[in-house]
Amino acid sequence: MPSPDALTPADIAASGLCIGCGGCATKGMAWDRYGQRKPSDATLADYRHDGPVPETDAPHALPSDQAATTFAATCPFSPTARNEDQLALARFPHAPHHDARLGRYEANYVGHAEQAPFRERGSSGGMVSWVAADLLASGKIDGVAHVIPATGDRLFHYRISRTEGEILEGARSRYYPVDLAEVLAEIRATPGRYAIVGIPCFIKAVSLLREQDPVLRERITHLLGLFCGHMKSAQFVDSFAWQLDVPRQDVRAVEYRRKDPDRPANWYTAHLTLSDGTARWQDWFHLADGDWGAGFFQNSACDACDDVVAECADVSFGDAWVEPYSSDGRGTNVVVVRSPEIAASIAAAIDNGRLDLKAVDADFIANTQAAGFRQRRDGLAYRLTWQKRRVTPVKRVAPRATGHPPRRRAIYRTRAAIAWWSHRMAWAANRLRWPALYTRWARASLYIYQALAYKRGRLGRWLARLDGVEG
């Protein structure tokens, strides 16, 4: 393992710990062979530079020894970077509540945006776009960095939006690799106050960067977090195209969660728009890789993450995956508020009817994400005992090999295997132009996983008789 003060992006990438956030990307990001965003070769070369990087090429760059030290302090998966507890304590020192699962907070809610058109345009209750638009309308920020649909070699990318209409263009869920490199460069170059919307590891990355970079510390004033199960690769879209029997090159847009108010919110529908204007769609539960928990196309760094709810964010949003909310096709959010400023804005909007939210406790929020917490706490403790990496992650969860029932251990092993092999099987299917190589493998893998996780099928019933333990 490299010494912590000499850690570089190449070390993190080689260890499978690079989430592709782009915080280190002095020279940009690039696609890897498995459809994930990684630091470009030029970025990696920057960290091997023997002397100062010319200021004209990278105005915020440092000599190589300083750059490596800074990187070790700002990469969200660096073993020497400050953890979520430390970052949240610095940001929210007076938060009245603390929970081991949610972190520090002011208040928790379940509900939706009553003010049109936020709920209608969002995947869930519309709260992410509502808070972003409210910050903009109140003059607290000048722009919001969030993910919107794109064209070219990327179906989605980060953009800074400066109007409510532009913010609404980024509504809906995006299970696709993106990076912050371009918007961070724009924020450094353009004075103003900005909010950034992101998943937990991206929010942590920005929090760490703010501690090291005075320009970002001044200009990035608000962080809006998204609850996260794991990151997918771009190959997930390839799989959609294969299973919907359309050429991947004809796909011009993708919706991962097509909304239908007349169906339960947790009945996801994958929807592809093609170059000729037609569309194809399919419910996730009919797809070979449509079980989210199985881990198809998961980024390997996600197996070393212990943050489900973006604990460093001023406010975090998730789906209310408990009844009666999960059956409401109009969509419902759970919200964890950490910033007193945003807490006051939300309370005022509840009073004047713009938001329909009900206060809930930490247990309610955690129950809506129960599977995620099992994977990132109990599962992480187990994975830390058997994963050998070039860089050893340091997490708030202690390694623990004992206390996991046999079938639960098998579930964690199977998820990790599915995540690892799905990238490689899809890559081989693309190279051989034989989609069935991947889809047949995926259906067989899903059968095994669901037998373990849910005791489905003949194999599941046989396994249930063997262990008698609920997973």
Side-chain angles (χ1 to χ4, degrees):
M1 172 180 171
S3 62
D5 58 354
L7 194 68
T8 70
D11 299 315
I12 292 292
S15 294
L17 291 172
C18 178
I19 198 65
C21 66
C24 67
T26 56
K27 299 286 187 177
M29 301 286 284
W31 289 111
D32 74 0
R33 69 193 298 186
Y34 300 129
Q36 300 176 109
R37 300 294 287 174
K38 301 296 179 185
S40 67
D41 289 342
T43 288
L44 298 182
D46 247 7
Y47 287 84
R48 294 191 295 269
H49 201 279
D50 292 330
V53 178
E55 288 190 5
T56 54
D57 291 339
H60 59 283
L62 301 167
S64 58
D65 57 343
Q66 292 177 260
T69 301
T70 300
F71 172 75
T74 57
C75 174
F77 286 92
S78 165
T80 60
R82 280 154 57 85
N83 66 32
E84 291 83 350
D85 288 340
Q86 295 164 327
L87 292 166
L89 177 60
R91 252 344 282 273
F92 316 111
H94 305 298
H97 307 289
H98 179 266
D99 182 85
R101 299 157 297 183
L102 309 187
R104 308 175 71 82
Y105 65 92
E106 294 276 334
N108 302 319
Y109 296 100
V110 63
H112 60 269
E114 187 69 18
Q115 178 183 349
F118 295 100
R119 191 185 195 189
E120 295 82 355
R121 294 283 294 273
S123 290
S124 191
M127 285 299 302
V128 184
S129 296
W130 185 91
V131 169
D134 183 68
L135 288 171
L136 191 66
S138 63
K140 294 171 183 173
I141 59 172
D142 302 300
V144 180
H146 64 140
V147 178
I148 66 161
T151 57
D153 72 330
R154 288 186 279 177
L155 289 172
F156 301 94
H157 69 163
Y158 264 94
R159 182 190 70 186
I160 295 178
S161 292
R162 300 179 184 275
T163 67
E164 179 181 302
E166 290 180 345
I167 289 172
L168 286 168
E169 291 175 18
R172 302 293 172 94
S173 298
R174 320 296 192 187
Y175 306 126
Y176 188 86
V178 291
D179 65 79
L180 291 161
E182 293 167 354
V183 293
L184 289 176
E186 185 176 346
I187 289 169
R188 285 188 176 103
T190 310
R193 295 160 298 169
Y194 299 91
I196 291 184
V197 181
I199 57 176
C201 52
F202 279 41
I203 296 297
K204 181 182 179 182
V206 175
S207 299
L208 292 167
L209 286 166
R210 289 178 77 253
E211 292 193 331
Q212 300 291 322
D213 187 324
V215 173
L216 295 183
R217 183 163 58 247
E218 175 190 356
R219 295 179 183 176
I220 299 175
T221 56
H222 296 78
L223 299 175
L224 311 186
L226 308 173
F227 291 11
C228 181
H230 62 260
M231 281 271 284
K232 298 287 191 186
S233 82
Q235 290 176 316
F236 199 25
V237 180
D238 296 354
S239 175
F240 286 169
W242 292 337
Q243 295 182 71
L244 295 177
D245 197 27
V246 297
R248 171 62 182 85
Q249 64 269 21
D250 290 349
V251 175
R252 291 295 175 267
V254 58
E255 283 190 56
Y256 292 87
R257 294 171 55 180
R258 185 79 165 183
K259 197 166 189 176
D260 185 343
D262 298 322
R263 302 201 323 159
N266 55 4
W267 286 15
Y268 286 13
T269 299
H271 186 279
L272 303 180
T273 301
L274 307 183
S275 54
D276 63 1
T278 62
R280 303 287 189 278
W281 59 90
Q282 183 61 274
D283 291 335
W284 276 41
F285 47 74
H286 293 310
L287 298 174
D289 41 17
D291 187 323
W292 183 276
F296 289 94
F297 300 115
Q298 175 187 288
N299 188 305
S300 58
C302 299
D303 268 345
C305 179
D306 58 7
D307 185 359
V308 176
V309 298
E311 296 172 45
C312 302
D314 295 279
V315 56
S316 301
F317 310 89
D319 289 277
W321 294 140
V322 293
E323 293 296 351
Y325 305 107
S326 57
S327 291
D328 188 344
R330 294 171 297 174
T332 308
N333 281 120
V334 284
V335 185
V336 179
V337 189
R338 302 185 183 87
S339 158
E341 173 196 53
I342 292 179
S345 296
I346 286 177
I350 294 171
D351 289 342
N352 63 31
R354 290 189 294 156
L355 298 179
D356 185 354
L357 297 176
K358 179 178 71 174
V360 294
D361 61 17
D363 287 339
F364 181 94
I365 301 288
N367 286 340
T368 69
Q369 313 298 317
F373 280 110
R374 280 195 301 271
Q375 171 74 352
R376 294 199 173 183
R377 301 297 172 86
D378 180 72
L380 176 57
Y382 179 52
R383 289 191 298 275
L384 288 173
T385 67
W386 50 266
Q387 288 185 337
K388 305 300 180 185
R389 300 176 186 264
R390 181 176 175 184
V391 175
T392 302
V394 177
K395 310 307 297 182
R396 295 171 294 171
V397 176
R400 178 170 56 87
T402 60
H404 314 277
R407 188 160 59 85
R408 177 55 53 182
R409 293 198 302 270
I411 289 171
Y412 295 140
R413 292 277 185 177
T414 302
R415 283 176 180 159
I418 287 174
W420 196 89
W421 278 105
S422 57
H423 300 292
R424 289 151 181 84
M425 295 299 291
W427 175 82
N430 262 318
R431 287 294 296 270
L432 297 172
R433 299 183 182 179
W434 184 22
L437 176 66
Y438 168 77
T439 55
R440 290 173 185 173
W441 169 85
R443 291 195 184 281
S445 299
L446 184 65
Y447 175 79
I448 294 170
Y449 172 76
Q450 293 187 332
L452 284 165
Y454 315 125
K455 302 178 182 177
R456 290 183 185 168
R458 183 177 299 175
L459 177 59
R461 292 190 294 271
W462 180 77
L463 290 171
R465 288 198 299 270
L466 277 184
D467 77 355
V469 177
E470 292 294 334

